[in-house]
Short mmCIF file of all heavy atoms in Angstrom, two decimals:
data_model
loop_
_atom_site.label_atom_id
_atom_site.label_comp_id
_atom_site.label_asym_id
_atom_site.label_seq_id
_atom_site.Cartn_x
_atom_site.Cartn_y
_atom_site.Cartn_z
N MET A 26 8.98 -26.49 -66.22
CA MET A 26 9.63 -27.71 -66.68
C MET A 26 10.74 -27.30 -67.64
O MET A 26 10.51 -26.50 -68.55
CB MET A 26 8.60 -28.58 -67.40
CG MET A 26 9.07 -29.93 -67.81
SD MET A 26 7.74 -30.87 -68.62
CE MET A 26 6.56 -31.07 -67.29
N ASP A 27 11.93 -27.82 -67.43
CA ASP A 27 13.06 -27.57 -68.32
C ASP A 27 13.49 -28.87 -68.96
O ASP A 27 13.63 -29.89 -68.27
CB ASP A 27 14.24 -26.96 -67.55
CG ASP A 27 13.97 -25.55 -67.06
OD1 ASP A 27 13.20 -24.84 -67.72
OD2 ASP A 27 14.54 -25.17 -66.03
N VAL A 28 13.73 -28.84 -70.26
CA VAL A 28 14.24 -30.01 -70.98
C VAL A 28 15.77 -29.92 -70.93
O VAL A 28 16.36 -28.98 -71.43
CB VAL A 28 13.75 -30.04 -72.45
CG1 VAL A 28 14.34 -31.23 -73.19
CG2 VAL A 28 12.23 -30.06 -72.50
N SER A 29 16.40 -30.91 -70.30
CA SER A 29 17.86 -30.88 -70.13
C SER A 29 18.59 -31.79 -71.10
O SER A 29 19.78 -31.60 -71.33
CB SER A 29 18.24 -31.24 -68.69
OG SER A 29 17.75 -32.52 -68.36
N ALA A 30 17.89 -32.77 -71.68
CA ALA A 30 18.52 -33.66 -72.66
C ALA A 30 17.46 -34.18 -73.61
O ALA A 30 16.32 -34.41 -73.22
CB ALA A 30 19.21 -34.83 -71.96
N SER A 31 17.86 -34.35 -74.88
CA SER A 31 16.95 -34.87 -75.90
C SER A 31 17.77 -35.30 -77.11
O SER A 31 18.79 -34.67 -77.42
CB SER A 31 15.96 -33.77 -76.32
OG SER A 31 15.18 -34.22 -77.42
N PRO A 32 17.32 -36.34 -77.82
CA PRO A 32 17.97 -36.68 -79.08
C PRO A 32 17.84 -35.55 -80.10
O PRO A 32 18.64 -35.44 -81.02
CB PRO A 32 17.22 -37.92 -79.56
CG PRO A 32 16.60 -38.50 -78.33
CD PRO A 32 16.30 -37.33 -77.44
N ASP A 33 16.83 -34.69 -79.94
CA ASP A 33 16.66 -33.51 -80.78
C ASP A 33 17.29 -32.32 -80.06
O ASP A 33 16.71 -31.76 -79.13
CB ASP A 33 15.17 -33.25 -81.04
CG ASP A 33 14.91 -32.09 -81.98
OD1 ASP A 33 15.85 -31.31 -82.25
OD2 ASP A 33 13.77 -31.96 -82.43
N ALA A 34 18.50 -31.95 -80.46
CA ALA A 34 19.27 -30.91 -79.77
C ALA A 34 18.52 -29.58 -79.70
O ALA A 34 18.78 -28.77 -78.80
CB ALA A 34 20.62 -30.71 -80.46
N ARG A 35 17.56 -29.33 -80.60
CA ARG A 35 16.80 -28.08 -80.58
C ARG A 35 15.89 -27.97 -79.36
O ARG A 35 15.46 -26.88 -79.00
CB ARG A 35 15.97 -27.95 -81.86
CG ARG A 35 16.82 -27.87 -83.11
CD ARG A 35 15.99 -28.04 -84.33
NE ARG A 35 15.49 -29.42 -84.35
CZ ARG A 35 14.84 -29.96 -85.37
NH1 ARG A 35 14.58 -29.23 -86.44
NH2 ARG A 35 14.42 -31.20 -85.32
N MET A 36 15.60 -29.10 -78.71
CA MET A 36 14.72 -29.09 -77.55
C MET A 36 15.46 -28.82 -76.24
O MET A 36 14.85 -28.42 -75.26
CB MET A 36 13.96 -30.41 -77.45
CG MET A 36 12.97 -30.60 -78.58
SD MET A 36 12.06 -32.12 -78.43
CE MET A 36 11.03 -31.75 -77.04
N VAL A 37 16.77 -29.05 -76.24
CA VAL A 37 17.55 -28.86 -75.01
C VAL A 37 17.51 -27.38 -74.62
O VAL A 37 17.75 -26.50 -75.43
CB VAL A 37 19.00 -29.35 -75.21
CG1 VAL A 37 19.84 -29.05 -73.97
CG2 VAL A 37 19.02 -30.84 -75.53
N GLY A 38 17.17 -27.13 -73.38
CA GLY A 38 17.05 -25.77 -72.88
C GLY A 38 15.64 -25.21 -72.98
O GLY A 38 15.38 -24.10 -72.52
N LEU A 39 14.72 -25.97 -73.55
CA LEU A 39 13.34 -25.52 -73.68
C LEU A 39 12.71 -25.38 -72.30
O LEU A 39 12.79 -26.28 -71.48
CB LEU A 39 12.55 -26.53 -74.51
CG LEU A 39 11.11 -26.20 -74.89
CD1 LEU A 39 11.06 -24.95 -75.78
CD2 LEU A 39 10.49 -27.38 -75.62
N ARG A 40 12.12 -24.23 -72.01
CA ARG A 40 11.41 -24.01 -70.75
C ARG A 40 9.92 -24.03 -71.04
O ARG A 40 9.44 -23.35 -71.95
CB ARG A 40 11.81 -22.68 -70.13
CG ARG A 40 10.90 -22.35 -68.94
CD ARG A 40 11.50 -21.42 -67.98
NE ARG A 40 12.59 -22.08 -67.27
CZ ARG A 40 13.45 -21.44 -66.51
NH1 ARG A 40 13.37 -20.14 -66.37
NH2 ARG A 40 14.41 -22.07 -65.88
N LEU A 41 9.18 -24.81 -70.26
CA LEU A 41 7.76 -25.00 -70.45
C LEU A 41 7.01 -24.69 -69.16
O LEU A 41 7.52 -24.95 -68.08
CB LEU A 41 7.48 -26.44 -70.89
CG LEU A 41 8.22 -26.89 -72.15
CD1 LEU A 41 8.17 -28.40 -72.28
CD2 LEU A 41 7.65 -26.21 -73.37
N TRP A 42 5.78 -24.17 -69.30
CA TRP A 42 4.93 -23.84 -68.16
C TRP A 42 3.78 -24.84 -68.12
O TRP A 42 3.10 -25.07 -69.13
CB TRP A 42 4.36 -22.43 -68.30
CG TRP A 42 5.31 -21.36 -67.92
CD1 TRP A 42 5.29 -20.63 -66.76
CD2 TRP A 42 6.42 -20.85 -68.67
NE1 TRP A 42 6.31 -19.72 -66.76
CE2 TRP A 42 7.03 -19.84 -67.91
CE3 TRP A 42 6.98 -21.17 -69.91
CZ2 TRP A 42 8.14 -19.14 -68.36
CZ3 TRP A 42 8.09 -20.47 -70.34
CH2 TRP A 42 8.65 -19.47 -69.57
N VAL A 43 3.52 -25.42 -66.95
CA VAL A 43 2.42 -26.37 -66.78
C VAL A 43 1.10 -25.64 -66.88
O VAL A 43 0.89 -24.62 -66.22
CB VAL A 43 2.54 -27.11 -65.42
CG1 VAL A 43 1.31 -27.99 -65.17
CG2 VAL A 43 3.81 -27.93 -65.36
N THR A 44 0.21 -26.17 -67.75
CA THR A 44 -1.12 -25.57 -67.92
C THR A 44 -2.24 -26.53 -67.56
O THR A 44 -3.39 -26.12 -67.45
CB THR A 44 -1.33 -25.07 -69.36
OG1 THR A 44 -1.17 -26.18 -70.26
CG2 THR A 44 -0.34 -23.97 -69.70
N GLY A 45 -1.94 -27.83 -67.41
CA GLY A 45 -2.97 -28.80 -67.08
C GLY A 45 -2.39 -30.17 -66.77
O GLY A 45 -1.28 -30.49 -67.19
N LEU A 46 -3.16 -30.97 -66.05
CA LEU A 46 -2.74 -32.32 -65.66
C LEU A 46 -3.84 -33.30 -66.01
O LEU A 46 -5.02 -32.96 -65.98
CB LEU A 46 -2.48 -32.38 -64.15
CG LEU A 46 -1.44 -31.38 -63.65
CD1 LEU A 46 -1.66 -31.07 -62.19
CD2 LEU A 46 -0.06 -31.95 -63.88
N GLN A 47 -3.46 -34.52 -66.33
CA GLN A 47 -4.43 -35.56 -66.66
C GLN A 47 -4.14 -36.79 -65.80
O GLN A 47 -2.98 -37.18 -65.65
CB GLN A 47 -4.34 -35.93 -68.13
CG GLN A 47 -4.60 -34.79 -69.08
CD GLN A 47 -4.32 -35.16 -70.51
OE1 GLN A 47 -4.28 -36.32 -70.87
NE2 GLN A 47 -4.11 -34.16 -71.36
N TYR A 48 -5.19 -37.39 -65.28
CA TYR A 48 -5.06 -38.61 -64.48
C TYR A 48 -6.00 -39.66 -65.06
O TYR A 48 -7.11 -39.34 -65.48
CB TYR A 48 -5.44 -38.35 -63.02
CG TYR A 48 -4.65 -37.24 -62.37
CD1 TYR A 48 -5.20 -35.98 -62.20
CD2 TYR A 48 -3.35 -37.45 -61.95
CE1 TYR A 48 -4.49 -34.96 -61.60
CE2 TYR A 48 -2.61 -36.43 -61.36
CZ TYR A 48 -3.19 -35.19 -61.18
OH TYR A 48 -2.47 -34.18 -60.61
N SER A 49 -5.56 -40.92 -65.06
CA SER A 49 -6.42 -42.00 -65.52
C SER A 49 -5.81 -43.33 -65.11
O SER A 49 -4.61 -43.56 -65.29
CB SER A 49 -6.57 -41.97 -67.05
OG SER A 49 -7.25 -43.11 -67.50
N SER A 50 -6.64 -44.21 -64.59
CA SER A 50 -6.14 -45.53 -64.19
C SER A 50 -5.88 -46.43 -65.39
O SER A 50 -5.23 -47.46 -65.26
CB SER A 50 -7.15 -46.21 -63.25
OG SER A 50 -8.36 -46.46 -63.94
N THR A 51 -6.37 -46.04 -66.57
CA THR A 51 -6.14 -46.86 -67.77
C THR A 51 -5.19 -46.18 -68.76
O THR A 51 -5.08 -46.60 -69.90
CB THR A 51 -7.47 -47.18 -68.47
OG1 THR A 51 -8.13 -45.96 -68.78
CG2 THR A 51 -8.35 -48.05 -67.60
N ALA A 52 -4.48 -45.15 -68.31
CA ALA A 52 -3.53 -44.47 -69.18
C ALA A 52 -2.23 -45.27 -69.26
O ALA A 52 -1.91 -46.06 -68.38
CB ALA A 52 -3.24 -43.07 -68.66
N THR A 53 -1.47 -45.02 -70.31
CA THR A 53 -0.17 -45.67 -70.45
C THR A 53 0.97 -44.78 -69.96
O THR A 53 2.10 -45.24 -69.83
CB THR A 53 0.10 -46.07 -71.91
OG1 THR A 53 -0.01 -44.91 -72.73
CG2 THR A 53 -0.91 -47.13 -72.36
N ALA A 54 0.68 -43.49 -69.71
CA ALA A 54 1.66 -42.55 -69.19
C ALA A 54 0.92 -41.46 -68.43
O ALA A 54 -0.29 -41.27 -68.61
CB ALA A 54 2.47 -41.93 -70.33
N TRP A 55 1.63 -40.77 -67.59
CA TRP A 55 1.07 -39.63 -66.87
C TRP A 55 1.30 -38.41 -67.74
O TRP A 55 2.43 -38.02 -68.00
CB TRP A 55 1.76 -39.49 -65.53
CG TRP A 55 1.23 -38.40 -64.66
CD1 TRP A 55 0.05 -37.71 -64.81
CD2 TRP A 55 1.85 -37.86 -63.50
NE1 TRP A 55 -0.10 -36.79 -63.81
CE2 TRP A 55 1.00 -36.85 -62.99
CE3 TRP A 55 3.04 -38.12 -62.84
CZ2 TRP A 55 1.31 -36.12 -61.85
CZ3 TRP A 55 3.33 -37.38 -61.71
CH2 TRP A 55 2.48 -36.40 -61.22
N ARG A 56 0.24 -37.80 -68.23
CA ARG A 56 0.36 -36.70 -69.19
C ARG A 56 0.11 -35.35 -68.53
O ARG A 56 -0.82 -35.18 -67.75
CB ARG A 56 -0.59 -36.93 -70.35
CG ARG A 56 -0.12 -38.13 -71.18
CD ARG A 56 -0.99 -38.42 -72.38
NE ARG A 56 -0.45 -39.53 -73.13
CZ ARG A 56 -0.67 -40.82 -72.85
NH1 ARG A 56 -1.43 -41.14 -71.82
NH2 ARG A 56 -0.13 -41.76 -73.58
N ILE A 57 0.98 -34.42 -68.88
CA ILE A 57 0.91 -33.06 -68.37
C ILE A 57 0.90 -32.12 -69.57
O ILE A 57 1.73 -32.25 -70.48
CB ILE A 57 2.12 -32.76 -67.47
CG1 ILE A 57 2.13 -33.72 -66.27
CG2 ILE A 57 2.10 -31.31 -66.99
CD1 ILE A 57 3.38 -33.62 -65.40
#
């Protein structure tokens, strides 16, 4: 996952590796 835009300029260009996924029918967002 690459962050391409953010109000926090320090996050732009951040590369992240997926380590887990969460699923729930009562969640407010899909969390990774």
